[in-house]
Amino acid sequence: MRAAIAAAAVGDEQKREDPTVNELEERAARLLGQDTAIYLPTATMANQIAIRLHTELGDELIGEENCHVFISELGGPAVHSGVVTRGLPGVGGRYTHEQVRAAYRVPAIHSPRTRLLWVENTHNASGGRIWPLEEIGELHALALELDLRFHLDGARLLNASVALGVPAAEIASRFDTVTLCLSKGLGCPLGAILAGDAEIMAGARRLKHLFGGAMRQAGIVAAAGVYALDNHVDRLVEDHRRATRLALGLAEAGLAVDPDRVETNFVQIDVAPLTPQEAMARLAEHGVALSGTIHPTILRAVTHLDLDDEAIDRALEAIPAALGARVRA
């Protein structure tokens, strides 16, 4: 990837003259089954631009209560778009079309207009859980019926695609707009994609400048995205396999891990009665880096392309040694 960055052909991205950015956008659009894709610095920016595209001041966005846009984007819907958010309780990061129908506000002079329906797939806070295609299809049909805009926060969409064994476009083409992050499982240093139909994306290109996302010789980083699409998609199955192996091994060691909830590359570990800070300090002493979550006693391990089977072997020894019997199920 670094060699691809060094060798990248570049131009003025703002003028659509950077050949590497243009190639990445064209390939990403095809991958996602959309007309047009725009290269952006971050997935958070992509999500916030999508909200601005689909809503007017005072509109309402419906999503699962712990989705990334609600808990990790600093109130962006309110700050950037003047949008009210409504969180639905979910199971594994998913809500149902029945919940949406019940939450939908019939247009009235005193109520916000329910306008945007939001799906996060895979779902970060739930441990990389996947939306089944059937449920996405039901929500798509309901969005059409209720005249709702339908956005996919697909930061980790390719993990879902690989795990389900279906093309990414089979999932993404059902949405009005799609976010794809290049710096998650694909391993790029930065970058994200926002994709949709040509008319919507014409507005998104203007908002890219308004949000400060326009760049110049961005081919040096877009080259990492092109390389990732060639080399880092099919290998995601290795991350999933290693996460499953890690979960099974930690559960066998007596730790509070549910392997049945491991669908992609996240493993969640309940470290109670330790605090996450206490647990992470102990883990660090054993050379293991886990991260906190929104859940008060849960840490997460994330497998990725910088971890091999030997690293999982070491983790299976180090994590139980660090946490000990106090956090065993």
Side-chain angles (χ1 to χ4, degrees):
M1 182 180 285
R2 292 193 180 200
I5 289 170
V10 300
D12 191 334
E13 184 269 345
Q14 291 191 20
K15 297 179 179 179
R16 310 289 304 281
E17 293 175 352
D18 189 302
T20 309
V21 171
N22 293 343
E23 179 185 357
L24 176 60
E25 290 181 344
E26 291 165 4
R27 291 186 56 178
R30 292 196 300 271
L31 175 72
L32 299 173
Q34 298 284 352
D35 291 342
T36 305
I38 297 177
Y39 182 53
L40 295 164
T42 70
T44 293
M45 183 180 287
N47 283 341
Q48 295 304 318
I49 289 174
I51 296 170
R52 187 69 168 266
L53 280 170
H54 294 308
T55 62
E56 297 176 2
L57 291 174
D59 281 350
E60 181 179 67
L61 184 166
I62 292 179
E64 196 275 338
E65 62 185 352
N66 290 321
C67 63
H68 190 276
V69 75
F70 288 174
I71 65 173
S72 297
E73 297 187 18
L74 289 88
V79 172
H80 299 299
S81 301
V83 165
V84 178
T85 57
R86 190 170 191 184
L88 302 179
V91 176
R94 310 191 325 263
Y95 53 84
T96 67
H97 68 287
E98 292 90 354
Q99 287 176 280
V100 176
R101 190 178 291 280
Y104 173 76
R105 300 182 193 274
V106 176
I109 193 168
H110 295 295
S111 300
R113 177 181 64 162
T114 304
R115 186 58 171 170
L116 178 56
L117 189 58
W118 197 271
V119 166
E120 183 181 330
N121 188 24
T122 67
H123 193 275
N124 183 344
S126 296
R129 305 289 292 277
I130 302 168
W131 280 77
L133 286 172
E134 180 181 358
E135 294 179 18
I136 291 174
E138 291 171 347
L139 289 175
H140 179 218
L142 184 60
L144 292 173
E145 176 189 338
L146 299 178
D147 192 28
L148 302 178
R149 301 299 177 262
F150 197 30
H151 177 74
L152 172 61
D153 179 358
R156 297 174 175 85
L157 169 64
L158 295 181
N159 289 93
S161 167
V162 168
L164 291 174
V166 301
E170 189 168 341
I171 304 170
S173 62
R174 305 170 190 227
F175 293 83
D176 294 307
T177 48
V178 182
T179 295
L180 173 67
C181 187
L182 302 172
S183 67
K184 299 295 192 299
L186 295 181
C188 297
L190 59 90
I193 294 294
L194 179 64
D197 71 32
E199 182 178 355
I200 291 174
M201 287 297 101
R205 287 202 182 275
R206 179 180 181 277
L207 290 173
K208 173 178 177 172
H209 285 250
L210 179 64
F211 276 66
M215 298 171 276
R216 292 295 184 183
Q217 286 73 35
I220 59 169
V221 280
V226 173
Y227 180 90
L229 294 183
D230 285 335
N231 296 280
H232 291 172
V233 177
D234 292 342
R235 64 147 310 281
L236 289 171
V237 69
E238 300 173 17
D239 296 341
H240 300 172
R241 175 180 59 79
R242 289 180 178 124
T244 297
R245 180 168 164 251
L246 179 64
L248 289 169
L250 294 177
E252 289 174 3
L255 297 184
V257 174
D258 184 354
D260 291 337
R261 295 185 179 183
V262 178
E263 296 176 354
T264 54
N265 64 323
F266 285 27
V267 178
Q268 293 187 326
I269 307 169
D270 193 333
V271 297
L274 297 176
T275 67
Q277 293 74 22
E278 290 170 337
M280 285 190 285
R282 292 186 180 199
L283 289 161
E285 292 176 357
H286 287 74
V288 177
L290 301 187
S291 57
T293 69
I294 65 165
H295 310 290
T297 64
I298 292 177
L299 297 181
R300 70 174 188 178
V302 181
T303 53
H304 51 82
L305 55 82
D306 292 323
L307 298 177
D308 56 16
D309 289 330
E310 183 180 350
I312 301 302
D313 292 338
R314 297 202 306 272
L316 286 171
E317 294 179 2
I319 294 174
L323 299 181
R326 289 185 62 192
V327 299
R328 289 181 181 167

